[in-house]
Amino acid sequence: CGVCTVGSIGPGGGVIFYVAATAQPWGRYLEVAPATWAGGYVDPYTQWCSLGDSLLAAYINEPEVIKRNSSALGSGKENTKLMLSSCMKGIAHLVASYRGGGKSDWYIPSADEMDVVLKENVVVGDLSISSYWSSTLAPVYGAWDQRIPVGINYTSDETNASAVRPIRASG
């Protein structure tokens, strides 16, 4: 889309769910993949990180990694990179292999990005599973998971299963 609006189809074939008032360091538009992004009719329900990934525990306990991980809009891409470097299996690898619209820059939304996706669920559509992962680490262990339709954030162990829906930034 030239000038994207919430609800329009984005360059990656997903739906624009957020438009910043001005250009941000990460871009101006956030686009969410369609529910069929993983080849089925609903989002995959899987682990944040696989059981036994001792690297994840090391990363969570490193102050520099904790500082780099964020819940803010525009931070999901960096959070997903951290996940790829610490998890041998899990949602980061699943999302990294997605090529919707011929784009390879899809990532797991941060907690704040996922919150906006859930608030725009009428526009996004097909959010059919009760909870969705974010890429944001939780304060004690695991990651922030969000329940729909109420939009409650809660901490979940990374080996638990929830749904995942990739997003990307553009513009």
Side-chain angles (χ1 to χ4, degrees), residues 16-30:
I16 300 297
F17 69 94
Y18 180 81
V19 178
T22 59
Q24 302 297 306
W26 46 264
R28 183 145 186 233
Y29 310 108
L30 292 175

Side-chain angles (χ1 to χ4, degrees), residues 22-75:
T22 59
Q24 302 297 306
W26 46 264
R28 183 145 186 233
Y29 310 108
L30 292 175
E31 171 183 4
V32 63
T36 56
W37 74 273
Y41 292 107
V42 296
D43 296 303
Y45 198 72
T46 190
Q47 293 177 328
W48 194 83
C49 195
S50 60
L51 183 62
D53 280 354
S54 58
L55 290 172
L56 179 64
Y59 271 100
I60 288 175
N61 293 319
E62 287 183 32
E64 286 305 309
V65 170
I66 292 169
K67 286 181 197 173
R68 288 173 46 206
N69 187 271
S70 173
S71 64
L73 287 176
S75 64

Side-chain angles (χ1 to χ4, degrees), residues 45-158:
Y45 198 72
T46 190
Q47 293 177 328
W48 194 83
C49 195
S50 60
L51 183 62
D53 280 354
S54 58
L55 290 172
L56 179 64
Y59 271 100
I60 288 175
N61 293 319
E62 287 183 32
E64 286 305 309
V65 170
I66 292 169
K67 286 181 197 173
R68 288 173 46 206
N69 187 271
S70 173
S71 64
L73 287 176
S75 64
K77 188 171 190 170
E78 180 65 24
N79 293 350
T80 302
K81 286 180 187 176
L82 289 170
M83 291 173 69
L84 286 167
S85 68
S86 64
C87 294
M88 293 175 255
K89 291 187 256 175
I91 61 174
H93 294 277
L94 181 64
V95 168
S97 65
Y98 179 55
R99 298 290 182 267
K103 308 292 184 188
S104 61
D105 58 350
W106 295 91
Y107 56 89
I108 301 160
S110 69
D112 291 353
E113 290 166 337
M114 193 68 231
D115 189 50
V116 177
V117 169
L118 295 178
K119 285 179 181 169
E120 293 292 343
N121 65 9
V122 171
V123 172
V124 170
D126 298 321
L127 293 173
S128 55
I129 298 178
S130 66
S131 63
Y132 281 81
W133 283 119
S134 77
S135 59
T136 305
L137 293 171
V140 178
Y141 70 95
W144 287 112
D145 200 358
Q146 292 173 306
R147 293 263 177 206
I148 57 173
V150 291
I152 296 172
N153 291 333
Y154 68 97
T155 302
S156 185
D157 182 276
E158 68 274 4

